[in-house]
Amino acid sequence: MGMGSDMYRQQILDHYKNPRNYGELEDATFTHVGENPMCGDEIRMDVKLDEDEETIAAVAFRGDGCAISQASASMLSGKLRGKTLDELAEMDRDDVVDMLGVDISPMRIKCAVLAEKVAQDGAEIYLGEKDLDKTTTEEDDD
């Protein structure tokens, strides 16, 4: 790992210390909460859709946890704006790891993908594709 990875580590620390889109959307189309009990991470994602009810207009998050989970939520909240719900559904862990720009250990991958899973589960519940009234939990091996 060279200077490039140091730059990404600094970016992660910056998003952790100065999160973007942190807070609450009062007019959110859907809201969902998730946790990673192994690390103590918790994230609540608010998503507002455009009038077409398909395109993400705004995302806000709040929560608490390690630098990886909170930086990932901050970065993802900006990346999702303008994407469709289908594009959100197609995202996977590789998209999150690429966004973070650093190698993530197997123990920390659940921290990194928590925000993505929370947003995806919230969208599936909103669309009626998932019957889930509880918190998304990132503790099962996938």
Side-chain angles (χ1 to χ4, degrees):
M1 296 207 197
M3 276 183 39
S5 63
D6 288 342
M7 178 185 70
Y8 284 111
R9 281 193 190 99
Q10 291 296 358
Q11 179 177 294
I12 289 169
L13 285 175
D14 181 47
H15 275 272
Y16 175 64
K17 292 177 181 178
N18 306 295
R20 281 51 152 199
N21 305 307
Y22 192 88
E24 184 175 347
L25 293 178
E26 292 194 20
D27 55 350
T29 306
F30 62 87
T31 298
H32 192 60
V33 178
E35 62 185 20
N36 174 4
M38 300 299 288
C39 192
D41 302 320
E42 183 173 304
I43 294 175
R44 178 180 174 135
M45 301 284 289
D46 295 337
V47 177
K48 180 178 181 179
L49 299 178
D50 276 337
E51 294 173 6
D52 66 5
E53 296 183 15
E54 179 64 26
T55 305
I56 298 171
V59 179
F61 82 97
R62 52 202 180 283
D64 193 30
C66 70
I68 294 288
S69 73
Q70 300 303 296
S72 180
S74 174
M75 295 166 105
L76 187 66
S77 68
K79 184 176 183 170
L80 289 179
R81 188 174 180 169
K83 293 204 179 292
T84 65
L85 292 179
D86 287 340
E87 290 171 318
L88 169 60
E90 292 170 4
M91 291 183 74
D92 63 21
R93 74 173 52 193
D94 291 336
D95 295 316
V96 173
V97 171
D98 289 347
M99 177 185 72
L100 291 171
V102 294
D103 291 331
I104 304 293
S105 71
M107 291 298 294
R108 301 303 297 262
I109 197 71
K110 292 176 190 320
C111 304
V113 301
L114 180 60
E116 173 200 38
K117 296 296 184 193
V118 170
Q120 288 173 331
D121 284 353
E124 288 180 14
I125 294 165
Y126 168 74
L127 294 169
E129 297 170 359
K130 191 174 219 171
D131 185 23
L132 180 70
D133 292 329
K134 62 180 185 160
T135 301
T136 294
T137 305
E138 269 301 301
E139 61 184 1
D140 301 322
D141 289 329
D142 21 318

